[in-house]
Amino acid sequence: MLDERGLDHVIYNAVSSGTNGRNVVSVARRRMAWMLRYAVAAPERVIYVCSARLEVWLLAATMAMRGKQVIIRLRNVALPDYLANPRTRALASWAMRRATYVVAVSPELAAAARAAGVPEERIIHQPGFLPPACHAPGEDGLSPSQRDFLSGRHPVLAANGKVDVYAGVDLYGFDHLVELVGRLRPSYPAIGLVVAFWDHLPKDEPRLAALHARAAELGVSDSILWHTESWPFVPVLAHAHLFLRPTVTDGDANSVREALFIGVPAIASDAVARPTGTICVKTRDLEALIAAATATLHTPPPRTPRCEIVDLAKIDVYLNLFERLAS
């Protein structure tokens, strides 16, 4: 979309080795050293910070003080956590007050930014969702392992995230997803759950091993694909009969909106406000999750893909902002 507007841009990828050889550049290796250099010598006029790390916000704030146009995007629980901690509240508030704009993907995050002292006129409440591209006929977009796994599977469940802990429990509810598959499999012997990871590191292996072990205990190891390689999520979602998001906390999850956009029923925790159309269940209530999934699979709602619908007005909030700051 930026290309279509003629806006030159570079995406600096600090979380993986992914690059396109053109305007997506991986800086994940020695990323902190790269960020320090970039904070001093960044050639770009407009810096859009998509990170929940406080140290990145602080570096961005110093760049704003030197005349850069800096936008900090708030997308998850990091800001409320920072504000709740006296040691980080002052730093987070200082960084955001120096940003040109703060983009909050949910009303809760916009309120947190106001509480941190960011002027109302510099807060933009806008979900991060952008309509995903729809694949042409015959192009399913799946990875080879996903394609092999999904062959003959019905129904297909989809989830995403990473193995992580928040407030002492599984952040993305993967433990409950394993239990869910165990309860559903007697009724659906060919059931398949694809869990797509957005990040996976060697230090995460013990948690993943524990999930493997529990799946083996329940006899459902072959019904779950833990897809830890980096790959687009929408192709899996397009093959799913149900999307699951039983998180302990969340921002405005783009994947929930993606599911609704392409007509896939979405079940999510009530940890945060969810978009209209989401089937909400009580957070960390396994029985409620099982009941909702069972009912939805038994009587699925009409699947009405809406790939042709693009809300240009909402997309333009971002594009116009970049265009204005770059001029």
Side-chain angles (χ1 to χ4, degrees), residues 149-174:
F149 176 79
L150 290 175
S151 178
R153 298 285 177 181
H154 191 280
V156 173
L157 313 182
N160 62 357
K162 63 172 290 184
V163 287
D164 206 349
V165 172
Y166 181 81
V169 293
D170 190 314
L171 172 57
Y172 287 93
F174 288 174

Side-chain angles (χ1 to χ4, degrees), residues 173-184 214 218 244 246 267 269 281-294:
F174 288 174
D175 55 343
H176 279 188
L177 295 182
V178 172
E179 302 297 326
L180 173 67
V181 174
R183 294 280 284 274
L184 291 177
R214 179 56 181 161
L218 295 174
L244 301 161
I267 297 177
S269 65
V281 297
K282 185 177 179 182
T283 303
R284 293 301 294 173
D285 188 330
L286 176 59
E287 294 305 318
L289 177 65
I290 292 170
T294 301

Side-chain angles (χ1 to χ4, degrees), residues 238-296:
H239 284 74
H241 301 92
L242 186 58
F243 170 65
L244 301 161
R245 183 82 176 180
T247 51
V248 179
T249 186
D250 222 330
D252 185 280
N254 285 336
S255 50
V256 173
R257 294 183 182 272
E258 287 171 340
L260 298 175
F261 181 79
I262 62 178
V264 178
I267 297 177
S269 65
D270 63 0
V272 297
R274 300 295 188 180
T276 301
T278 310
I279 302 166
C280 291
V281 297
K282 185 177 179 182
T283 303
R284 293 301 294 173
D285 188 330
L286 176 59
E287 294 305 318
L289 177 65
I290 292 170
T294 301
T296 305

Side-chain angles (χ1 to χ4, degrees), residues 206-227:
R207 292 195 189 115
L208 182 57
L211 292 167
H212 277 292
R214 179 56 181 161
E217 288 177 7
L218 295 174
V220 296
S221 293
D222 60 338
S223 296
I224 303 175
L225 173 63
W226 304 99
H227 194 267

Side-chain angles (χ1 to χ4, degrees), residues 39-320:
V40 174
E44 292 81 16
R45 289 185 59 195
V46 182
I47 316 296
Y48 184 65
V49 179
C50 184
S51 173
R53 294 178 178 273
L54 182 54
E55 60 268 31
V56 179
W57 296 3
L58 294 171
L59 285 175
T62 65
M63 297 171 75
M65 293 172 67
R66 297 203 318 276
K68 298 292 186 181
Q69 304 291 317
V70 171
I71 307 166
I72 294 178
R73 180 173 182 250
L74 310 176
R75 60 185 175 83
N76 60 21
V77 76
L79 176 58
D81 282 354
Y82 291 149
L83 297 183
N85 185 333
R87 291 177 297 178
T88 54
R89 179 184 179 90
L91 292 173
S93 299
W94 181 86
M96 286 190 299
R97 290 199 306 271
R98 276 147 188 82
T100 314
Y101 287 101
V102 169
V103 172
V105 302
S106 70
E108 294 84 357
L109 290 172
R114 283 191 292 272
V118 181
E120 184 69 38
E121 66 272 15
R122 291 201 279 117
I123 300 173
I124 298 173
H125 166 220
Q126 178 64 37
F129 169 75
L130 298 175
C134 297
H135 294 280
E139 296 179 359
D140 61 19
L142 298 171
S143 73
S145 59
Q146 290 170 344
R147 191 176 297 111
D148 290 345
F149 176 79
L150 290 175
S151 178
R153 298 285 177 181
H154 191 280
V156 173
L157 313 182
N160 62 357
K162 63 172 290 184
V163 287
D164 206 349
V165 172
Y166 181 81
V169 293
D170 190 314
L171 172 57
Y172 287 93
F174 288 174
D175 55 343
H176 279 188
L177 295 182
V178 172
E179 302 297 326
L180 173 67
V181 174
R183 294 280 284 274
L184 291 177
R185 179 153 162 168
S187 300
Y188 301 98
I191 193 171
L193 166 66
V194 178
V195 183
F197 282 51
W198 60 265
D199 185 30
H200 187 62
L201 301 172
K203 67 180 180 63
D204 300 327
E205 275 296 311
R207 292 195 189 115
L208 182 57
L211 292 167
H212 277 292
R214 179 56 181 161
E217 288 177 7
L218 295 174
V220 296
S221 293
D222 60 338
S223 296
I224 303 175
L225 173 63
W226 304 99
H227 194 267
T228 57
E229 66 177 301
S230 178
W231 202 267
F233 180 57
V234 170
V236 168
L237 197 54
H239 284 74
H241 301 92
L242 186 58
F243 170 65
L244 301 161
R245 183 82 176 180
T247 51
V248 179
T249 186
D250 222 330
D252 185 280
N254 285 336
S255 50
V256 173
R257 294 183 182 272
E258 287 171 340
L260 298 175
F261 181 79
I262 62 178
V264 178
I267 297 177
S269 65
D270 63 0
V272 297
R274 300 295 188 180
T276 301
T278 310
I279 302 166
C280 291
V281 297
K282 185 177 179 182
T283 303
R284 293 301 294 173
D285 188 330
L286 176 59
E287 294 305 318
L289 177 65
I290 292 170
T294 301
T296 305
L297 291 174
H298 184 265
T299 311
R303 178 161 178 161
T304 308
R306 296 184 292 159
C307 287
E308 76 284 359
I309 299 174
V310 177
D311 193 337
L312 292 174
K314 289 186 177 179
I315 295 172
D316 278 351
V317 169
Y318 285 108
L319 297 179
N320 292 341

